[in-house]
Amino acid sequence: MNALNSRNILEIVVFCIGALIGILGFSKILNYLLEKHESATMAFLIGIMVGTLRLPIMEITTSVKGSWIPCIILAVIAFALIFVLEKKFKKE
């Protein structure tokens, strides 16, 4: 943040190059894992995604006084959206 505030171009460029290398490297590793160990990789990724939902769900339910209804409605909408998108793109 200090580099952005002080407009230190060198630090910003080094950060961007590091981010690009990290993203490309991670995508290669993830691609390899999905090709060789698809089931375990998907289980791991789904576990991470579900595990990270705990905090937002707790924040939502405490802000609406413990009501789980908005969470359930959003989950159903998200599931339906993913289901429809999967059906659409499997045909193409």
Side-chain angles (χ1 to χ4, degrees):
M1 295 307 291
N2 289 335
L4 290 174
N5 288 335
S6 64
R7 292 176 180 60
N8 189 340
I9 300 299
L10 181 61
E11 287 184 22
I12 295 170
V13 169
V14 169
F15 176 81
C16 290
I17 291 172
L20 182 65
I21 290 170
I23 290 170
L24 293 176
F26 181 73
S27 68
K28 295 285 185 185
I29 292 170
L30 189 58
N31 188 34
Y32 170 78
L33 289 173
L34 285 171
E35 285 178 359
K36 302 294 181 186
H37 311 284
E38 182 180 3
S39 300
T41 304
M42 289 304 291
F44 176 74
L45 292 174
I46 290 170
I48 288 176
M49 287 185 264
V50 170
T52 57
L53 287 176
R54 182 176 165 260
L55 183 61
I57 287 176
M58 295 311 235
E59 290 292 323
I60 290 170
T61 55
T62 55
S63 68
V64 291
K65 302 198 183 0
S67 175
W68 286 86
I69 293 172
C71 293
I72 293 171
I73 291 171
L74 287 174
V76 169
I77 291 170
F79 177 80
L81 181 63
I82 291 171
F83 184 77
V84 168
L85 289 174
E86 284 285 328
K87 288 289 187 181
K88 178 179 172 35
F89 286 111
K90 278 190 177 180
K91 291 180 182 177
E92 294 177 3

